[in-house]
Amino acid sequence: MDRRKMITALALVALSIGLLVWNLDEDKGRFFHNEGRIFGTVYHIQYEHTQDMHDTIIACLEEVDNALSMFNTSSIISRINRNEDIAANQDFETVFIQAQEVSRLSNGAFDITVAPLVNAWGFGFENQLDMTQEKTDSIRKTVGYEKVQLENHHIVKQSKDVCLDASAIAKGYACDKVAERLMRSGVKNLLVEIGGEVVAKGHNSKNARWTIGITKPIDDTSGQQQQLQDKIQTSELCLATSGNYRNFYYDGSQKRSHTIDPRTGCPVRHSLLSATVTAHSCMKADALATACMVLGDTAALQMIDSIKDAECYLIIAENDSLVVRTSTHWTLTE
Ligand code: ADP
Ligand code: MG
């Protein structure tokens, strides 16, 4: 081969290697950011991929809504609440089974049958009642997670008055489901956030770990307050936060929060302002975070320390200031 042919051949090889590298780069994709509203809240989803997946994400969120939203009158949960003869689907069963496990772990602090109390106190899909002790006691008789079972894909209730509310676990489940759907299409780096519940994997568009903020629990029904109490940096995490600073109202001087203690039948009243929980799934973290809010800080720490895959970060009001208490193996913040 003469010199000129040799140079041409080398140039071609170099060009094809260049093309190959360029192609590999193209396959790596770029970061997309999708956002919108679902379950009465906002979602923000970032992922690295070769194409926009927003349509798939919306379809996925609608599947969860069609199974678990009490505000969607044709959802499976609404039809079960109206005692129609309807079979559960995979989404419903996965969430129901996890809800029952968290009820057992929390000694009934988390309870998917809390719906009639949630409605009566004005946080549900029905009109608020004028609550008295008698009314509370009477409604409380219809509440109890042992009053419902899944049998052969059907929910069997002890009485027709038993009603289900999956609001405290559905957002977490939706995060798991969207993350799984994205990963199934080849996504490795993602951050799925729905109303404060989060699944994070891999890295962000700057090739750094994802940063997740824990909000300062300052009363704010607008959801605009963004001051942070702490930050977490992570490349693998399922996390959920429950709090009584965004969904509450005042009855005279009495603050009524949207977390109901199934044991008293009333909205909880204690100094635990927010509970952030990590677990193997965001669905489990979500349900556990609500259970923590019912239990209060000391019992919540005891429960979380007894669960192998769970850790928590609690913010408590103490003498006009905020105090943080964490479970024994919490390492995500300094
Ligand atoms: P957030 O993430 O908005 O703070 P949660 O995950 O704690 O909310 O869910 C609160 C909702 O869960 C309430 O609005 C109500 O519908 C329902 N809920 C209230 N108390 C309980 C309870 N003890 N167990 C299960 N669900 C509850
Ligand atoms: Mg929850």
Side-chain angles (χ1 to χ4, degrees):
M1 202 187 285
D2 69 21
R3 210 176 133 82
R4 194 184 292 166
K5 275 189 184 153
M6 178 95 123
I7 289 171
T8 313
L10 282 175
L12 278 174
V13 170
L15 184 67
S16 53
I17 288 174
L19 279 176
L20 189 69
V21 170
W22 180 75
N23 247 326
L24 282 176
D25 228 33
E26 183 72 351
D27 275 341
K28 262 186 90 189
R30 62 188 180 88
F31 276 83
F32 290 88
H33 188 164
N34 301 146
E35 55 190 30
R37 292 193 68 85
I38 192 87
F39 318 134
T41 187
V42 189
Y43 62 85
H44 302 274
I45 298 168
Q46 297 177 59
Y47 51 93
E48 185 181 31
H49 202 32
T50 48
Q51 68 192 83
D52 187 295
M53 299 286 287
H54 203 184
D55 287 347
T56 308
I57 291 168
I58 291 171
C60 198
L61 294 172
E62 280 172 357
E63 281 168 30
V64 178
D65 195 82
N66 287 333
L68 294 158
S69 170
M70 303 190 306
F71 297 92
N72 168 350
T73 52
S74 56
S75 68
I76 294 177
I77 199 165
S78 294
R79 298 182 64 185
I80 289 173
N81 285 345
R82 292 196 300 268
N83 297 308
E84 292 177 23
D85 182 20
I86 169 118
N89 67 1
Q90 178 84 57
D91 289 325
F92 186 94
E93 290 193 10
T94 307
V95 167
F96 182 81
I97 291 165
Q98 181 64 82
Q100 294 294 73
E101 191 207 346
V102 172
S103 289
R104 287 188 292 272
L105 290 170
S106 64
N107 265 323
F110 181 90
D111 195 323
I112 199 167
T113 68
V114 80
L117 288 168
V118 172
N119 282 331
W121 285 105
F123 296 102
F125 55 93
E126 278 174 5
N127 291 339
Q128 180 178 355
L129 303 181
D130 224 353
M131 290 301 274
T132 58
Q133 186 65 49
E134 271 169 357
K135 269 188 208 156
T136 308
D137 290 341
S138 134
I139 298 172
R140 203 152 59 87
K141 291 194 186 110
T142 67
V143 174
Y145 69 97
E146 320 88 336
K147 294 184 167 68
V148 275
Q149 281 182 59
L150 187 61
E151 277 175 27
N152 197 18
H153 309 295
H154 281 76
I155 289 292
V156 180
K157 303 178 181 178
Q158 240 176 50
S159 124
K160 284 201 154 134
D161 300 332
V162 175
C163 244
L164 308 182
D165 175 349
S167 312
I169 184 169
K171 275 189 285 168
Y173 175 66
C175 289
D176 291 331
K177 185 165 161 130
V178 168
E180 215 176 281
R181 190 69 63 87
L182 289 173
M183 287 189 295
R184 231 193 294 146
S185 20
V187 173
K188 291 194 173 63
N189 301 306
L190 59 83
L191 184 78
V192 178
E193 185 259 316
I194 307 176
E197 328 306 14
V198 179
V199 172
K201 294 210 187 287
H203 59 76
N204 64 17
S205 59
K206 297 193 177 89
N207 213 6
R209 289 185 298 164
W210 296 103
T211 304
I212 298 163
I214 299 179
T215 310
K216 238 186 221 305
I218 299 171
D219 282 357
D220 164 42
T221 48
S222 73
Q224 299 300 307
Q225 195 291 113
Q226 294 297 346
Q227 272 187 69
L228 296 185
Q229 177 78 25
D230 236 319
K231 278 185 192 166
I232 293 171
Q233 303 222 304
T234 181
S235 53
E236 175 87 52
L237 191 72
C238 296
L239 168 142
T241 299
S242 219
N244 282 329
Y245 52 99
R246 292 226 165 115
N247 198 348
F248 63 87
Y249 62 88
Y250 274 95
D251 183 0
S253 62
Q254 184 74 60
K255 184 178 170 187
R256 306 271 189 218
S257 73
H258 72 149
T259 312
I260 309 288
D261 188 336
R263 300 161 301 185
T264 62
C266 298
V268 295
R269 285 172 62 191
H270 45 59
S271 53
L272 175 57
L273 302 179
S274 89
T276 295
V277 175
T278 62
H280 274 345
S281 72
C282 196
M283 155 174 75
K284 186 171 181 182
D286 194 0
L288 284 172
T290 303
C292 288
M293 288 309 298
V294 174
L295 291 169
D297 53 308
T298 303
L301 287 169
Q302 233 171 47
M303 171 185 73
I304 295 292
D305 274 341
S306 74
I307 303 170
K308 222 171 161 192
D309 65 313
E311 297 300 333
C312 71
Y313 176 104
L314 310 178
I315 307 177
I316 301 137
E318 235 174 70
N319 308 325
D320 287 337
S321 57
L322 300 177
V323 174
V324 171
R325 292 179 76 186
T326 62
S327 56
T328 311
H329 301 292
W330 173 274
T331 53
L332 293 164
T333 48
E334 275 108 53

